């Protein structure tokens, strides 16, 4: 984990430097000079510049493009945080077809570019909280999942929606090992899927999604642990019963189906009360529903969140 082993000063610089500035500085003064300048704390001006997009992270500074694209979980490319950045270039993201089936009237096979038009994309800055107790702030570009799902005309039997990632060990060399049972699968209750905060992301920092972040299209559910935000989606299925989901099926005691961020329900092997924001030295308090309680708590009214964690 490269990011964890750097000095505090370097981390701070990288933490607050938006991609454009970061790349410009690299281009003009070179990598070693930039690292030196960062180490000396000479980049204060960069800290004031913000990523563009509607702020859903209470003004918290977005992580740098470098952090967002070098520290990843994407087991299809390996289990180390640096593996996705190293190997994701093998993934072919065009043409990209998504199969839609199950309880809907207008399913079929859809070309991604026909399904999601660039004109409907919006930029939103969200916190992302991993179940491993680290977090980032990421400026996504995408479309509300509800906008897309409505086009398939789900029937009244559609109580859940299930998603699958591509399986192709040639493009995703991590799949040559059975680190997880492939395909990676996730699912949401229909009301969670239709919630206005739930996003289908095709980009970040204002441009196409880097492959290690789940190109060409991934889910973002900002009030849930990151493992719900499935990457490189090739199938969407409307179903009546709670679908099979990878981590929950693997270890239900550790990973719930709901996986709502909850500082009061610890993972059996570690506390969820606090989290390490990538690039920061001291841990922060984890927020209920990752800070989105006002928007989403009503979805779970009357549910025992210790049982349905
Ligand atoms: N999707 C697939 N297909 N495979 C994965 O291994 N990891 C999940 C999620 N989506 C994962 C996935 C986990 S644990 C997290 S925290 C987020 O992706 C990480 O997203 P990021 O790498 O863009 O930060």
């Amino acid at each position: 984990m490269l990011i964890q082993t750097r000095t505090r000063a370097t981390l701070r610089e990288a933490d607050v430097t938006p991609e454009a500035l970061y790349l410009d500085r690299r281009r003009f003064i070179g990598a070693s000079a930039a690292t030196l300048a960062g180490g000396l704390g000479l980049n204060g001006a960069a800290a004031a510049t913000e990523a563009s997009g509607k702020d859903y992270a209470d003004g918290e500074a977005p992580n740098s493009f470098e952090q967002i694209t070098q520290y990843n979980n994407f087991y299809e490319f390996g289990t180390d945080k640096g593996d996705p950045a190293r190997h994701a270039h093998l993934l072919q993201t065009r043409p990209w077809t998504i199969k839609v089936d199950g309880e809907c009237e207008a399913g079929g096979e859809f070309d991604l570019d026909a399904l999601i038009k660039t004109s409907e994309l919006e930029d939103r800055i969200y916190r992302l909280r991993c179940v491993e107790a680290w977090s980032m702030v990421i400026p996504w570009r995408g479309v509300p999942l509800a906008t897309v799902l409505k086009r398939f005309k789900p029937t009244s039997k559609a109580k859940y929606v299930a998603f699958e990632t591509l399986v192709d060990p040639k493009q995703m060399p991590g799949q040559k090992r059975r680190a997880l049972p492939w395909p990676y699968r996730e699912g949401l209750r229909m009301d969670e899927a239709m919630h206005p905060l739930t996003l289908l992301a095709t980009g970040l920092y204002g441009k196409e999604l880097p492959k290690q972040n789940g190109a060409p299209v991934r889910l973002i559910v900002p009030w849930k642990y990151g493992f719900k935000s499935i990457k490189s989606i090739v199938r969407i299925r409307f179903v009546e019963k709670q679908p099979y989901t990878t981590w929950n099926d693997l270890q239900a005691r550790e990973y719930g189906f709901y996986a709502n961020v909850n500082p009061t329900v610890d993972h059996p092997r570690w506390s969820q009360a606090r989290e390490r924001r990538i690039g920061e030295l001291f841990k922060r308090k984890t927020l209920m529903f990752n800070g989105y309680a006002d928007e989403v708590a009503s979805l779970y009214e009357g549910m025992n969140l210790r049982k349905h964690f």
Side-chain angles (χ1 to χ4, degrees):
M1 291 188 213
L2 186 64
I3 285 166
Q4 279 185 314
T5 57
R6 291 187 186 171
T7 65
R8 184 180 178 194
T10 311
L11 283 174
R12 275 183 160 176
E13 183 265 329
D15 185 35
V16 296
T17 307
E19 181 212 13
L21 274 177
Y22 175 81
L23 292 177
D24 273 346
R25 205 165 48 243
R26 289 270 152 143
R27 202 174 300 135
F28 289 118
I29 57 183
S32 56
T35 305
L36 179 65
L40 296 172
L42 299 177
N43 295 297
T49 312
E50 289 169 21
S52 61
K54 188 148 186 259
D55 176 25
Y56 289 83
D58 301 315
E60 291 173 22
N63 282 86
S64 70
F65 183 80
E66 187 193 33
Q67 291 169 330
I68 295 167
T69 57
Q70 304 293 314
Y71 187 92
N72 300 99
N73 275 335
F74 199 170
Y75 278 20
E76 284 83 344
F77 296 102
T79 53
D80 283 351
K81 295 288 184 280
D83 283 340
R86 264 193 293 280
H87 304 301
H89 64 92
L90 294 167
L91 179 65
Q92 297 297 316
T93 55
R94 290 294 187 284
W96 192 268
T97 307
I98 300 182
K99 183 177 173 185
V100 181
D101 59 356
E103 298 295 343
C104 62
E105 286 167 18
E109 302 218 340
F110 300 87
D111 177 69
L112 177 65
D113 297 318
L115 195 60
I116 301 176
K117 297 267 185 294
T118 25
S119 58
E120 64 186 343
L121 298 176
E122 45 182 292
D123 294 310
R124 295 188 184 185
I125 304 171
Y126 282 158
R127 281 179 286 266
L128 175 90
R129 168 61 157 82
C130 180
V131 74
E132 297 165 337
W134 56 264
S135 63
M136 294 205 208
V137 174
I138 303 183
W140 300 109
R141 171 165 281 188
V143 57
L145 177 65
T147 307
V148 177
L149 292 189
K150 280 177 195 157
R151 293 176 188 156
F152 310 130
K153 301 198 167 74
T155 69
S156 59
K157 280 187 171 172
K159 302 285 188 251
Y160 295 86
V161 55
F163 303 87
E164 286 181 17
T165 296
L166 176 72
V167 181
D168 184 349
K170 284 199 201 79
Q171 297 185 56
M172 297 178 142
Q175 289 179 333
K176 289 176 186 156
R177 292 202 203 155
R178 232 180 125 75
L180 291 175
W182 316 112
Y184 192 101
R185 293 185 213 185
E186 260 309 333
L188 296 172
R189 219 169 56 188
M190 208 55 191
D191 57 347
E192 300 175 318
M194 301 308 267
H195 192 280
L197 282 177
T198 307
L199 215 60
L200 263 186
T202 58
L204 63 80
Y205 262 116
K207 53 170 132 185
E208 255 185 32
L209 206 55
K211 292 178 177 179
Q212 57 267 45
N213 293 92
V217 62
R218 72 173 292 175
L219 189 66
I220 300 297
V221 198
W223 69 94
K224 292 180 179 284
Y225 291 120
F227 68 86
K228 298 297 287 184
S229 294
I230 181 172
K231 297 176 168 183
S232 305
I233 297 167
V234 293
R235 187 173 178 197
I236 299 176
R237 199 163 36 96
F238 296 96
V239 293
E240 218 176 336
K241 300 217 171 78
Q242 183 180 305
Y244 169 101
T245 56
T246 299
W247 285 102
N248 177 235
D249 196 71
L250 213 59
Q251 193 48 272
R253 250 173 32 83
E254 301 193 354
Y255 310 100
F257 171 79
Y258 283 93
N260 292 317
V261 175
N262 187 339
T264 71
V265 177
D266 287 338
H267 185 281
R269 289 182 279 132
W270 59 83
S271 165
Q272 295 291 26
R274 302 173 77 77
E275 67 198 55
R276 192 172 63 87
R277 175 69 46 83
I278 297 302
E280 289 183 357
L281 191 61
F282 299 107
K283 286 192 174 174
R284 297 174 170 249
K285 276 192 178 157
T286 287
L287 306 172
M288 188 64 202
F289 294 112
N290 204 22
Y292 302 99
D294 287 351
E295 291 94 331
V296 303
S298 62
L299 294 173
Y300 309 103
E301 239 160 38
M303 264 176 67
N304 178 349
L305 296 179
R306 304 197 73 78
K307 193 169 162 228
H308 300 282
F309 62 90

